[in-house]
């Protein structure tokens, strides 16, 4: 309750906002902290919070200008109030699984947290319960709000543990609530059960992180300084392109941090090896040793499977019932025609993707559509090659046949606005590009905001 401490706190808060992994809204909870005895009454709390709130406001303005919104690259998980029950159930499952585990012990720990909450309220004098409920409601709002941008289908808590920091601190504070005297002896027992669940979950998370960190560290090292005469088949973490994209972003970061130093592009496998020497130069990730090994050290059948998975064409459905994640760096290519034939769609167009390994995600307007790729063949596009003055783009055209469960799904998918593809041209290697239908720019919400793109991204 002194200005010197208020200003100093705001200064440290300003420093913290310069870090990537910091939960900026947490500072709102300072408005709920009790002031020391003898502090000025009335609006004193707000007055002393003004420096920190000014920093928060400035941060919000900066974030909105850079990311074109508060949520960063994530779209909000709630597109309408009808989504609230589904989102709430996913949120509860996500928090339980991530914080204490989803087994019997974890569920028991969560139930004991609720008991702790009720016991803490019961221990308050009658006049204090309403204030405590209001405070707990405010805390829950501050803690849960950013998760609205995170808890999407398919996002697992093990891979996104940094988002659990604020809920974790809130639970720890919850256990400091005073219990009624008649229940005080049970407090220690309940806390021990909770701590046991947390400990086991932490051990499981540590084992998960050890393998994931080793994999990323190894791939980042390869991206920064590709070893001579070696090329890499990247590990498929969440999709066929996720680790590739991470490597390219790391490479771009290294170039910006060390602008005067030459940086070779990450040496990734782009073609079938032509001979034994080329095959011997290929490295793949080995989970047993958490290291890169030679491809030709694997059994012949496994070698072919690894190469096929990496170089094969693939198509998935990208649900567009809500805002798309901000993942694309620009527009490229087009979908020229879409025709329906029973349960199949025939899609024709071209992409800035050369050679094998054409990866495409179709933006469809329903969340539950499953699509299979029946065929995807390259076709000649002399008009594209002539327009770009690149003879190697002659085979940039494609004809895809997509299969669906029934005709209704096929008709729904035929209304797609765009697709997302990986580019291979210089300046676009392994970057996501929007492929509009018939030249329409229907997926602007998928573009990374221009303010946070690098110069090479906009190619």
């Amino acid at each position: 309750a002194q200005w010197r401490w208020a200003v100093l706190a705001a200064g440290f808060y300003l420093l913290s906002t310069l870090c990537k992994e910091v939960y900026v809204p947490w500072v709102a909870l300072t408005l709920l902290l009790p002031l020391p005895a003898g502090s000025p009454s009335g609006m004193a709390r707000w007055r002393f919070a003004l420096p920190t709130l000014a920093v928060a406001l400035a941060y919000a303005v900066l974030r909105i200008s850079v990311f074109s919104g508060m949520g960063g690259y994530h779209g909000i998980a709630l597109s309408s109030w009808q989504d609230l029950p589904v989102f709430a159930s996913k949120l509860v499952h996500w928090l339980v699984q991530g914080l204490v585990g989803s087994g019997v012990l974890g569920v028991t720990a969560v139930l004991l947290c609720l008991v702790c909450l009720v016991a803490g309220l019961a221990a308050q004098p009658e006049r204090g319960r309403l204030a405590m409920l209001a405070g707990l409601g405010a805390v829950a709002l501050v803690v849960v709000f950013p998760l609205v941008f995170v808890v999407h289908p398919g996002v697992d808590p093990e891979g996104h543990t940094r988002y659990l920091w604020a809920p974790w601190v809130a639970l720890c504070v919850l256990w400091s609530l005073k219990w009624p005297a008649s229940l005080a002896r049970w407090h220690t027992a309940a806390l021990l059960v909770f701590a046991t669940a947390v400990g086991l979950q932490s051990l499981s998370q540590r084992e998960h992180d050890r393998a994931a960190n080793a994999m990323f560290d190894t791939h980042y090292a390869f991206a920064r300084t590709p070893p001579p005469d070696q090329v890499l088949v990247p590990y498929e973490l969440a999709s066929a392109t996720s680790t590739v994209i991470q490597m390219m972003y790391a490479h771009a970061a290294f170039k910006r941090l060390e602008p005067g130093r030459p940086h070779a592009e990450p040496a990734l496998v782009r073609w079938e090896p032509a001979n034994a020497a080329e095959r011997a130069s290929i490295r793949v990730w080995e989970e047993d040793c958490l290291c890169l090994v030679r491809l030709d050290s694997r059994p012949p059948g496994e070698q072919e499977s690894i190469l096929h998975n990496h170089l094969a064409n693939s198509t998935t459905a990208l649900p567009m019932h809500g805002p798309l994640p901000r993942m694309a760096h620009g527009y490229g290519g087009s979908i020229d025609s879409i025709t329906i034939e029973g349960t199949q769609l025939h899609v024709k167009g071209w992409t800035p993707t050369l050679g094998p390994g054409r990866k495409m995600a179709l933006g469809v307007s329903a969340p539950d559509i499953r699509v299979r790729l029946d065929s995807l063949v390259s076709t000649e596009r002399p008009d594209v090659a002539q327009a770009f003055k690149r003879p190697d783009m002659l085979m940039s055209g494609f004809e895809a046949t997509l299969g669906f469960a029934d005709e209704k799904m096929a008709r729904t998918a035929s209304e797609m606005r765009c697709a997302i593809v990986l580019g291979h041209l210089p300046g676009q290697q392994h970057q996501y590009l929007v492929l509009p239908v018939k030249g329409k720019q229907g997926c602007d919400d998928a573009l990374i905001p221009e303010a946070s793109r690098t110069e090479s991204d906009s190619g």
Side-chain angles (χ1 to χ4, degrees), residues 237-272:
L237 181 65
S239 70
T241 61
S242 60
T243 310
V244 173
I245 294 296
Q246 296 282 357
M247 290 179 65
M248 297 309 296
Y249 286 167
H251 174 71
F254 292 138
K255 287 200 299 185
R256 302 183 81 174
L257 288 171
E258 301 171 339
R261 177 180 171 183
H263 293 271
E265 293 283 340
L268 306 180
V269 173
R270 296 286 300 278
W271 314 98
E272 291 275 358

Side-chain angles (χ1 to χ4, degrees), residues 84-352:
L84 188 57
V86 175
F87 168 77
S89 64
K90 287 178 180 174
L91 176 65
V92 170
H93 178 264
W94 201 81
L95 291 174
V96 172
Q97 183 181 349
L99 290 169
V100 292
S102 54
V104 174
L105 186 60
V107 173
T108 303
V110 171
L111 292 176
L112 289 175
C113 287
L114 296 176
V115 171
C116 182
L117 178 64
V118 174
L121 283 170
Q124 298 295 314
E126 262 188 62
R127 286 186 299 180
R129 287 176 190 167
L130 188 59
M132 184 175 175
L133 277 173
L136 289 170
V139 169
L141 181 63
V142 171
V143 168
V144 170
F145 171 72
L147 299 179
V148 173
F149 298 94
V150 176
V151 185
H152 289 270
V155 177
D156 68 296
E158 275 197 331
H160 298 78
T161 50
R162 61 191 184 275
Y163 298 126
L164 295 171
W165 180 80
W168 165 245
V169 174
L171 281 187
C172 290
V173 173
L174 186 67
W175 282 98
S176 70
L177 296 178
K178 182 181 179 181
W179 284 37
S182 59
L183 297 176
R185 70 172 70 180
W186 294 100
H187 185 275
T188 302
L191 185 55
L192 282 174
V193 173
F194 176 76
T196 301
V198 168
L200 292 175
Q201 177 64 16
S202 297
L203 289 174
S204 171
Q205 184 66 45
R206 182 177 294 273
E207 187 60 26
H208 170 275
D209 289 349
R210 186 177 72 89
N213 291 340
M215 185 273 292
F216 275 115
D217 287 345
T218 303
H219 283 68
Y220 285 161
F222 202 101
R224 182 171 190 176
T225 310
D229 303 321
Q230 290 187 22
V231 291
L232 177 67
V233 174
Y235 178 74
E236 294 185 7
L237 181 65
S239 70
T241 61
S242 60
T243 310
V244 173
I245 294 296
Q246 296 282 357
M247 290 179 65
M248 297 309 296
Y249 286 167
H251 174 71
F254 292 138
K255 287 200 299 185
R256 302 183 81 174
L257 288 171
E258 301 171 339
R261 177 180 171 183
H263 293 271
E265 293 283 340
L268 306 180
V269 173
R270 296 286 300 278
W271 314 98
E272 291 275 358
N275 49 50
E278 287 189 9
R279 186 173 291 262
S281 69
I282 298 175
R283 298 295 183 269
V284 295
W285 178 249
E286 174 58 65
E287 291 185 308
D288 292 339
C289 68
L290 299 181
C291 63
L292 294 177
V293 299
R294 289 172 50 150
L295 175 68
D296 57 7
S297 68
R298 302 288 189 89
E302 189 175 343
Q303 294 181 37
E304 298 308 316
S305 177
I306 291 172
L307 288 173
H308 174 76
N309 290 339
H310 176 65
L311 296 174
N313 296 323
S314 65
T315 299
T316 57
L318 191 66
M320 295 185 61
H321 60 293
L324 289 174
R326 296 185 180 277
M327 59 188 293
H329 298 79
Y331 283 90
S334 71
I335 295 176
D336 299 326
S337 67
I338 302 174
T339 57
I340 307 175
E341 187 177 328
T343 62
Q344 289 184 323
L345 282 188
H346 300 285
V347 182
K348 297 181 180 180
W350 70 274
T351 71

Side-chain angles (χ1 to χ4, degrees), residues 269-444:
V269 173
R270 296 286 300 278
W271 314 98
E272 291 275 358
N275 49 50
E278 287 189 9
R279 186 173 291 262
S281 69
I282 298 175
R283 298 295 183 269
V284 295
W285 178 249
E286 174 58 65
E287 291 185 308
D288 292 339
C289 68
L290 299 181
C291 63
L292 294 177
V293 299
R294 289 172 50 150
L295 175 68
D296 57 7
S297 68
R298 302 288 189 89
E302 189 175 343
Q303 294 181 37
E304 298 308 316
S305 177
I306 291 172
L307 288 173
H308 174 76
N309 290 339
H310 176 65
L311 296 174
N313 296 323
S314 65
T315 299
T316 57
L318 191 66
M320 295 185 61
H321 60 293
L324 289 174
R326 296 185 180 277
M327 59 188 293
H329 298 79
Y331 283 90
S334 71
I335 295 176
D336 299 326
S337 67
I338 302 174
T339 57
I340 307 175
E341 187 177 328
T343 62
Q344 289 184 323
L345 282 188
H346 300 285
V347 182
K348 297 181 180 180
W350 70 274
T351 71
T353 306
L354 308 178
R358 198 189 303 260
K359 312 297 182 184
M360 186 181 306
L362 305 174
V364 296
S365 57
D368 300 322
I369 286 184
R370 303 280 176 117
V371 59
R372 69 177 184 273
L373 179 61
D374 291 340
S375 68
L376 179 58
V377 297
S378 297
T379 59
E380 290 189 2
R381 288 296 300 261
D383 56 326
V384 174
Q386 184 176 2
F388 285 87
K389 296 182 172 56
R390 290 186 59 104
D392 55 347
M393 293 185 68
L394 178 62
M395 301 302 293
S396 61
F398 71 90
E399 293 184 3
T401 301
L402 310 175
F404 298 86
D406 53 48
E407 292 187 21
K408 181 180 179 180
M409 283 189 179
R411 284 194 300 272
T412 301
S414 70
E415 300 299 321
M416 71 178 75
R417 292 186 287 148
C418 67
I420 304 291
V421 297
L422 280 176
H424 286 176
L425 298 179
Q428 297 178 339
Q429 295 98 325
H430 303 289
Q431 292 184 350
Y432 290 117
L433 300 172
V434 175
L435 193 68
V437 175
K438 298 179 182 177
K440 296 180 181 178
Q441 298 184 357
C443 293
D444 290 343

